[in-house]
Amino acid sequence: MAQHAIFLSGPIGVGKTTLGRAFAERLSGGFIDGDDYSDPDRPWYCSVLQTSRAIVQAGMTILKSRDAVVIAYPLGCINWIYFRRTFGDAGVVPLFVALRASYPSIVDERRGRTFSSEERERIQIMIAEGYRARPFSDLVLDTDRASFLATLAQLEREIRRLIPS
């Protein structure tokens, strides 16, 4: 069976980390939060290559003992090309899932997360820049149409459909 690197992309607050952790557990896979590998002292656009390399290294380490790794990280086209090529060259099948939700849903206090004004501004920018549905995505999933557990179940169904047994 092939190994898989499953990327969950989307704007801040859409559910990448929360869904990613739960989904990795269901797959008995590993989980990586891409934010854990970014340089907090530099803007994201100054450290994207360093972050991407660190994510690949961590992913390959996890894949030494597991068949899948779930990676929560907002992807642009350059990231997608890098991850597709780097994991692919290592024999790992990458899958790319775009998570989307409306801005009002993302910032709704009932979701249990409070955002700073800077984060709110960045969410709007990311939505405008198309992070909710990248054309290179293998799957686009709405995170604000059903409960968390129903969304998680849908993610699992759709990914299992994409991964040959």
Side-chain angles (χ1 to χ4, degrees):
M1 181 170 171
Q3 292 183 305
H4 292 83
I6 302 164
F7 287 84
L8 302 183
S9 181
I12 296 167
V14 76
K16 297 180 297 293
T17 301
T18 306
L19 274 172
R21 285 186 202 285
F23 184 53
E25 189 173 309
R26 284 195 176 191
L27 290 177
S28 297
F31 175 75
I32 294 171
D33 184 341
D35 291 341
D36 292 344
Y37 296 89
S38 64
D39 184 343
D41 297 325
R42 298 172 67 197
W44 67 269
Y45 50 83
C46 293
S47 63
V48 69
L49 181 57
Q50 174 185 335
T51 301
S52 296
R53 285 179 175 154
I55 289 170
V56 168
Q57 183 176 1
M60 295 309 294
T61 299
I62 289 169
L63 290 168
K64 287 178 182 177
S65 62
R66 311 233 178 155
D67 289 330
V69 60
V70 178
I71 302 160
Y73 190 62
L75 299 174
C77 187
I78 298 296
N79 302 103
W80 171 72
I81 292 168
Y82 177 78
F83 289 128
R84 185 181 66 160
R85 178 68 184 264
T86 306
F87 278 108
D89 285 352
V92 176
V93 178
L95 292 170
F96 301 92
V97 180
L99 301 179
R100 68 180 176 191
S102 69
Y103 176 78
S105 293
I106 291 172
V107 299
D108 188 327
E109 292 178 6
R110 291 175 290 183
R111 289 187 84 174
R113 182 169 172 189
T114 304
F115 298 96
S116 68
S117 58
E118 293 83 15
E119 287 174 315
R120 286 174 175 262
E121 182 179 338
R122 184 70 188 134
I123 292 166
Q124 290 177 329
I125 290 168
M126 291 177 85
I127 289 171
E129 290 177 346
Y131 278 85
R132 296 182 329 155
R134 294 295 199 191
F136 52 74
S137 300
D138 297 301
L139 171 66
V140 176
L141 184 68
D142 292 303
T143 62
D144 61 352
R145 298 228 171 128
S147 70
F148 173 79
L149 289 177
T151 303
L152 177 60
Q154 181 184 1
L155 174 62
E156 183 176 10
R157 267 191 320 275
E158 294 294 332
I159 291 297
R160 291 196 187 277
R161 182 181 58 76
L162 292 172
I163 297 174
S165 348

